[in-house]
């Protein structure tokens, strides 16, 4: 069980006869940002609460940097820093005094040098001596990350950390998380904001109805997009253009969309071939636009497929 920051195997949570989380397994590499994606109520927070032992597991195991959470609880938990709910602080104290308070409660000795180090890491040097009641939500989130990092964990777990942040705050927070991975820290982030997670994560897992239905990397998503993507052509005669494409077997599923436009699924090299074919046959090409697939598109495709399979299973039973 070495080489991975976190390994989750068959994680399951049942309450009475209801399955909340159903045999979820995944791994998190060292120094990566791993996203747990899914709609509210999908089971993301329950998974996180089981990992950090806020609630018990019905089945399954958790290994943190090779330590089994069951047999090596203290060693495992010393590797984890987490924000499961919105971070709460004493608002009448400064950010620094809040961190000092938490440091004094820690099981291990945390020096003032370490406090100053995490303050620099999250970019709060200028505000750390101000009272927390003057902080914006984004600043409180960063202070929460600083608190979670005080004991120098190797894994940071954040549950919906961008809730309530404005676009600028989300961007800054994303940059802070990326800087943490450069320090060798692994980050697990749960969210339902798919477009934001596409910018933030190295890999992602999609959770629906307590089940893990897909794990992939953002790079794989981009490569699939480059391999075959929808392209919109605006031409002088879309009917004739589609006829030519079918005749020469270029692309797939050419669909007319009105206003002289049609959409076809092709790879990068075929785009040039389609354009050449149209021009050679005296069809004017006014525009070519790539329709880039997003994580949201993939999410909807996968969750829609999952629902159809569930419906088919119910109907056949």
């Amino acid at each position: 069980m070495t080489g991975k920051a976190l390994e989750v195997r068959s994680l399951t949570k049942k309450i009475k006869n209801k399955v909340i989380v159903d045999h979820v397994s995944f791994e998190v590499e060292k120094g990566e940002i791993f996203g747990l994606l899914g709609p509210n109520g999908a089971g993301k927070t329950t998974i996180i609460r089981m990992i950090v032992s806020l609630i018990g597991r019905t089945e399954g195991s958790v290994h943190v940097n090779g330590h089994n959470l069951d047999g090596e609880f203290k060693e495992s938990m010393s590797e984890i820093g987490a924000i499961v709910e919105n971070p709460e602080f004493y608002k009448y104290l400064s950010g620094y005094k809040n961190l000092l308070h938490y440091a004094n409660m820690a099981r291990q000795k945390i020096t003032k040098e370490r406090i100053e180090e995490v303050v620099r890491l999250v970019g709060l040097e200028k505000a750390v001596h101000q009272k927390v009641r003057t902080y914006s939500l984004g600043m409180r989130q960063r202070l929460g990350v600083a608190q979670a990092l005080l004991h120098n964990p190797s894994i940071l777990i954040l549950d919906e950390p961008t809730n309530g942040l404005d676009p600028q705050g989300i961007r800054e927070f994303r940059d802070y998380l990326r800087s943490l991975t450069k320090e060798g820290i692994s980050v697990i982030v749960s969210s339902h904001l798919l477009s934001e997670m596409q910018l933030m994560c190295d890999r992602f897992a999609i959770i629906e109805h307590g089940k893990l239905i897909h794990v992939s990397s953002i790079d794989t998503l981009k490569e699939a997009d480059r391999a075959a993507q929808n392209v919109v052509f605006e031409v002088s005669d879309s009917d004739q253009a589609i006829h030519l494409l079918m005749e020469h077997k270029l692309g797939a599923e050419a669909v007319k969309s009105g206003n002289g436009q049609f959409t076809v699924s092709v790879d990068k090299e075929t785009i040039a071939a389609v354009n050449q074919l149209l021009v050679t046959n005296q069809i004017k090409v006014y525009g070519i636009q790539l329709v880039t697939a997003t994580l949201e598109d993939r999410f909807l495709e996968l969750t829609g497929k999952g629902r159809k399979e569930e419906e088919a299973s119910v109907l056949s039973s």
Side-chain angles (χ1 to χ4, degrees), residues 6 8 11-13 20-21 24 26 28 34-38 42-57 62 64 69 73 77 80-85 155-161 187-192 197 205 207 210:
L6 178 72
V8 172
L11 205 60
T12 302
K13 181 65 176 179
I20 309 300
V21 174
V24 168
F26 61 86
V28 178
F34 185 87
L36 289 175
L37 306 180
K44 306 185 300 298
T45 298
T46 303
I47 290 170
I48 287 175
R49 284 178 175 274
M50 285 191 284
I51 292 172
V52 300
S53 294
L54 287 177
I55 59 175
R57 287 165 275 139
V62 177
V64 184
L69 189 60
F73 181 78
M77 295 307 297
I80 296 176
I83 304 176
V84 180
E85 302 290 347
I155 302 172
L156 181 63
I157 302 177
L158 306 171
D159 186 22
E160 300 279 1
V187 181
I188 302 173
V189 183
S190 79
S191 182
H192 62 279
M197 297 299 277
I207 310 293

Side-chain angles (χ1 to χ4, degrees), residues 5 29-33 154 178 180-182 184-187 202:
E29 303 289 341
K30 293 183 178 179
E32 78 168 339
I33 300 179
S154 60
R178 185 56 62 187
L180 293 180
T181 64
K182 293 178 181 178
I185 297 172
S186 303
V187 181
D202 298 303

Side-chain angles (χ1 to χ4, degrees), residues 4 14 26-27 36 53 79 128 146 169 175 218 227 239 296 305-306:
K4 306 291 183 183
K14 296 179 182 177
F26 61 86
E27 299 175 346
L36 289 175
S53 294
E79 299 278 357
V128 73
D175 292 341
I218 297 298
D239 289 326
E296 183 176 9
K305 179 181 178 182

Side-chain angles (χ1 to χ4, degrees), residues 6-23:
L6 178 72
E7 294 179 85
V8 172
R9 294 284 175 261
S10 297
L11 205 60
T12 302
K13 181 65 176 179
K14 296 179 182 177
I15 299 178
K16 295 183 179 180
N17 294 325
K18 185 175 182 180
V19 179
I20 309 300
V21 174
D22 190 0
H23 292 87

Side-chain angles (χ1 to χ4, degrees), residues 7-182:
E7 294 179 85
V8 172
R9 294 284 175 261
S10 297
L11 205 60
T12 302
K13 181 65 176 179
K14 296 179 182 177
I15 299 178
K16 295 183 179 180
N17 294 325
K18 185 175 182 180
V19 179
I20 309 300
V21 174
D22 190 0
H23 292 87
V24 168
S25 299
F26 61 86
E27 299 175 346
V28 178
E29 303 289 341
K30 293 183 178 179
E32 78 168 339
I33 300 179
F34 185 87
L36 289 175
L37 306 180
N40 292 330
K44 306 185 300 298
T45 298
T46 303
I47 290 170
I48 287 175
R49 284 178 175 274
M50 285 191 284
I51 292 172
V52 300
S53 294
L54 287 177
I55 59 175
R57 287 165 275 139
T58 305
E59 296 178 37
S61 64
V62 177
H63 288 79
V64 184
N65 274 334
H67 299 296
N68 189 324
L69 189 60
D70 292 327
E72 303 168 280
F73 181 78
K74 290 182 180 179
E75 294 86 349
S76 298
M77 295 307 297
S78 68
E79 299 278 357
I80 296 176
I83 304 176
V84 180
E85 302 290 347
N86 291 330
E88 294 293 338
F89 299 98
Y90 297 105
K91 295 180 181 179
Y92 59 88
L93 295 179
S94 68
Y96 184 84
K97 288 185 177 179
N98 269 280
L99 293 177
L100 188 60
H101 173 68
Y102 283 109
N104 289 335
M105 292 192 299
R107 296 176 62 91
Q108 64 192 70
K109 181 176 175 57
I110 296 173
T111 64
K112 290 184 178 181
E113 288 76 17
R114 175 58 184 169
I115 295 175
E116 292 169 359
E117 183 182 352
V118 297
V119 167
R120 286 194 301 272
L121 197 59
V122 300
L124 276 179
E125 303 100 308
K126 294 181 180 179
V128 73
H129 293 292
Q130 298 174 14
K131 292 184 178 180
V132 170
R133 67 166 174 255
T134 68
Y135 282 17
S136 67
L137 179 57
M139 292 167 68
R140 291 199 299 274
Q141 291 283 39
R142 280 186 271 162
L143 186 62
V145 172
Q147 176 210 324
L149 293 174
L150 279 175
H151 63 290
N152 200 25
S154 60
I155 302 172
L156 181 63
I157 302 177
L158 306 171
D159 186 22
E160 300 279 1
T162 57
N163 271 0
L165 295 184
D166 59 25
Q168 179 64 27
I170 290 175
R171 182 172 182 174
E172 290 177 359
F173 194 77
R174 182 173 69 234
D175 292 341
Y176 295 135
L177 293 187
R178 185 56 62 187
S179 70
L180 293 180
T181 64
K182 293 178 181 178

